[in-house]
Amino acid sequence: MAARVVTWTTGHILASCSTDGNTVLWNTQNGLKLAVLEHPCRSPVRICRFSPDSSCLVSGAADGSVNLWNVQSLKVYRSGTVKDGSLVACAFAPNGSFFVTGSSCGDLTVWDDNMRCLYNEKAHDLGVTCCDFSSQPVSGNKQDVKYFQMASSGQDNIIKIWLVSFTNPIGLELKHKCTLSGHTAPVLACAFSFDGQMVVSGSVDKTVMLFETKTGSILHILTQHTRYVTTCAFAKDVPLFATGSMDKCVNIWEFEPKQLFTGTAQSEEPTIFVEKWSEEEVSEWLCKHGLEDLVAIFRKNNIDGKELLNLTKESLADDLKIESLGLRSKVLRNIEELRMEMKSACVGIPDEFLCPITRELMKEPVIAADGYSYEKEAMEKWIVKKRRSSPMTNLPLQTLVLTPNRSLKMAINRWLETQSKHNETPQS
C-alpha cells in the first residue's frame, strides 16, 4: 500500500502512515521498524504528525477519525471524529497545547491535548489539503495575548492565513487574517518559513509560489516542475526550501531574504500563458531581449500577448512602422522562440487530466471517497458493477457519493482552450 505521509520527532524516530491503516514508527539511525500502530477500524490513514515535544502522535483517517497516540506506551490516548469527510491535514501549535485538522469537506477543526473539540469552521470549498503553523508568535490587538499564524490550503486554489490563540480564561480565538491568491488550480501544500515572514505553496498548476505573509504579495513564481507540486518545506537554520512533485523530482531552492522584500514580485511566467500577457508584460519581455527601443511603439499600438504572437514581418513594417530590418528580424526570432516553447509545453495530455479507469481525458471529473478524481460515467459504471473498492487503492470505499471536481474541470477546460489556440496555423 502507498505511504501517505512521513513525519519525524526532534530525536531519531520517523513516522509514516499508509492506506493499509497502519502508522509505522522507524529508527532513523539504523532503519529498523520500532512499532506498528494499527488504526482501530483499519481505515486508511492519510495524515500523521508528532507533537512538538514528541510525546504524542496524532493520526487522521479516511473515515474522519482522529487518534492521539502515546509514543512511549504505543497506545491510543484519546480519540475523536469529525462530522464529515476524510482527514487529510494536521498541524500542532508550536507550544503543543492544541492542534488543527483539515478535512476533505473543507472544515478546519481545533482540538486541545485532551481531544476536546474547541472550534470548527468551514474554511475551503471542496476541501482542505494542508495546514501549517509558524513557529514564531505574533502580537495581536489584545494586550499580553500572543497569536500563532496558521496557513491552510485547499481545493479552491487559495491559501488562507489565520491568527490562532489559546489562553485561559479567554479560551480559543481563530481569526482570518488574509487570503493568498495566484494559483490557478488546487493548492496541495503550504509551509511557513522559520521566521513566519514567508509562505511557500505548491499546486496542481505545477507552480511553486512564495508569498510575503505581511502584505500577501507574491515574491516569486517558480515553474520548473512539470507535474503536480505535492509538498514543500523550509529549512530551519539556512535560507533553503524544498519542493516535491509528481514529476519525480525534489528541487532545493536557495534565497537571499534581504533581496526578497523589495515590493516587486519576481516571477518566471510560463510561456504557455503568453497570449494572456498584458501590455506591461510584453514591455518587460522586450526589455529582457534587448528591445527597449521598441517599448514605446508597442505600447502606442496596444500590443498585448495575443497581439504579440500574431505579429508578422508585414505588420512590423507596415502597422508598427519599424524601419530597421535588423530590429524586425530580432523581434520575429524571439516570437518564434516563444511559439516553440509554447508548443513544447503542450505536447501530450497531462496525466492528471486522464481518468485512472479509462485513461482518457476527463469531461465530468468527480472526486470519490478515496480522494482520487475519475470520469463520472466511468466511476458510476465501476460502482454499478458492485465494485465497492477504490480503483486506485483497492480498499473499500467508505461512501459511494461522487463530488464534482469543479476546479479540475476548469483546469481541463483552460488547457483545452490553450491547445486550440496553439493548433491554429500561425500567420505568415
Side-chain angles (χ1 to χ4, degrees), residues 37 49-51 55-60 65-71 73-80 90 92 96 99 111-116:
L37 311 178
R49 286 287 184 272
F50 282 106
S51 62
S55 63
C56 298
L57 175 77
V58 66
S59 63
S65 61
V66 190
N67 290 309
L68 191 62
W69 300 83
N70 184 304
V71 174
S73 67
L74 302 178
K75 293 182 179 179
V76 175
Y77 170 64
R78 291 281 193 277
S79 294
C90 176
F92 268 96
F99 64 92
W111 312 79
D112 68 9
D113 52 8
N114 286 313
M115 289 296 297
R116 291 181 301 172

Side-chain angles (χ1 to χ4, degrees), residues 11-68:
H12 302 289
I13 301 178
L14 178 80
S16 62
C17 58
S18 170
T19 53
D20 63 6
N22 290 333
T23 302
V24 181
L25 302 184
W26 307 84
N27 186 322
T28 59
Q29 293 181 310
N30 55 27
L32 295 179
K33 188 183 296 185
L34 298 175
V36 177
L37 311 178
E38 296 185 1
H39 186 276
C41 299
R42 304 300 298 164
S43 179
V45 182
R46 299 194 175 278
I47 190 74
C48 61
R49 286 287 184 272
F50 282 106
S51 62
D53 64 1
S54 305
S55 63
C56 298
L57 175 77
V58 66
S59 63
D63 62 1
S65 61
V66 190
N67 290 309
L68 191 62

Side-chain angles (χ1 to χ4, degrees), residues 255-272:
F255 60 94
E256 295 186 26
K258 292 182 180 179
Q259 294 182 1
L260 286 178
F261 305 104
T262 60
T264 303
Q266 301 177 30
S267 63
E268 298 175 23
E269 180 70 21
T271 54
I272 195 171

Side-chain angles (χ1 to χ4, degrees), residues 107-402:
D107 288 356
L108 287 175
T109 306
V110 186
W111 312 79
D112 68 9
D113 52 8
N114 286 313
M115 289 296 297
R116 291 181 301 172
C117 179
L118 302 174
Y119 191 87
N120 178 267
E121 177 166 329
K122 181 77 170 181
H124 292 272
D125 292 337
L126 303 179
V128 177
T129 56
C130 185
C131 52
D132 186 47
F133 276 96
S134 168
S135 61
Q136 303 298 317
V138 296
S139 298
N141 55 8
K142 294 184 179 180
Q143 190 174 6
D144 299 327
V145 176
K146 291 293 185 181
Y147 292 86
F148 289 109
Q149 292 187 103
M150 184 187 74
S152 63
S153 58
Q155 299 280 354
D156 51 7
N157 307 355
I158 60 175
I159 304 106
K160 289 185 176 181
I161 304 296
W162 310 81
L163 294 177
V164 193
S165 71
F166 182 39
T167 57
N168 291 319
I170 297 174
L172 183 118
E173 265 194 293
L174 187 145
K175 302 187 298 182
H176 177 240
K177 178 184 176 183
C178 64
T179 297
L180 309 179
S181 303
H183 286 292
T184 59
V187 184
L188 301 182
C190 61
F192 275 102
S193 60
F194 182 69
D195 59 10
Q197 293 189 50
M198 293 178 288
V199 165
V200 64
S201 60
S203 169
V204 171
D205 65 14
K206 307 174 190 175
T207 67
V208 174
M209 291 193 179
L210 198 61
F211 296 89
E212 182 183 5
T213 55
K214 184 177 180 179
T215 64
S217 61
I218 299 174
L219 300 172
H220 280 274
I221 302 173
L222 307 168
T223 61
Q224 277 76 1
H225 285 295
T226 58
R227 297 285 304 280
Y228 291 2
V229 182
T230 56
T231 187
C232 54
F234 275 94
K236 181 179 178 180
D237 301 319
V238 291
L240 300 173
F241 65 91
T243 57
S245 166
M246 290 181 69
D247 61 12
K248 301 180 182 179
C249 291
V250 174
N251 289 337
I252 309 296
W253 309 87
E254 184 176 11
F255 60 94
E256 295 186 26
K258 292 182 180 179
Q259 294 182 1
L260 286 178
F261 305 104
T262 60
T264 303
Q266 301 177 30
S267 63
E268 298 175 23
E269 180 70 21
T271 54
I272 195 171
F273 300 127
V274 171
E275 66 269 17
K276 297 181 181 180
W277 281 2
S278 64
E279 294 176 23
E280 183 63 33
E281 287 170 313
V282 171
S283 297
E284 292 176 3
W285 177 81
L286 289 170
C287 294
K288 180 180 177 181
H289 293 281
L291 296 165
E292 298 90 345
D293 294 342
L294 300 182
V295 169
I297 297 174
F298 273 60
R299 285 185 173 177
K300 181 180 178 180
N301 289 272
N302 305 118
I303 304 297
D304 57 13
K306 186 175 182 180
E307 293 290 333
L308 177 69
L309 293 173
N310 289 326
L311 289 176
T312 63
K313 59 183 179 181
E314 289 81 11
S315 61
L316 287 173
D318 300 337
D319 299 334
L320 301 189
K321 309 297 183 185
I322 299 175
E323 297 180 358
S324 169
L325 177 61
L327 280 178
R328 294 201 301 267
S329 298
K330 187 174 182 179
V331 171
L332 290 174
R333 282 199 306 272
N334 283 293
I335 291 176
E336 185 58 31
E337 287 180 10
L338 272 182
R339 289 179 182 143
M340 293 300 294
E341 290 176 17
M342 291 170 67
K343 287 180 181 179
S344 65
C346 296
V347 174
I349 301 173
D351 193 63
E352 55 266 26
F353 294 168
L354 300 177
C355 172
I357 299 173
T358 65
R359 298 303 297 169
E360 295 178 355
L361 184 68
M362 288 184 278
K363 298 178 181 178
E364 295 293 334
V366 294
I367 304 173
D370 59 1
Y372 291 94
S373 292
Y374 305 92
E375 175 60 37
K376 181 180 179 182
E377 183 180 357
M379 193 60 187
E380 287 175 342
K381 287 181 179 179
W382 179 278
I383 293 171
V384 167
K385 292 180 181 179
K386 298 181 180 180
R387 298 178 184 173
R388 299 182 64 91
S389 60
S390 163
M392 294 295 286
T393 68
N394 213 28
L395 292 170
L397 294 170
Q398 300 297 317
T399 173
L400 301 182
V401 174
L402 302 177

Side-chain angles (χ1 to χ4, degrees), residues 82-93:
V82 296
K83 184 171 58 176
D84 296 304
S86 302
L87 284 178
V88 292
C90 176
F92 268 96

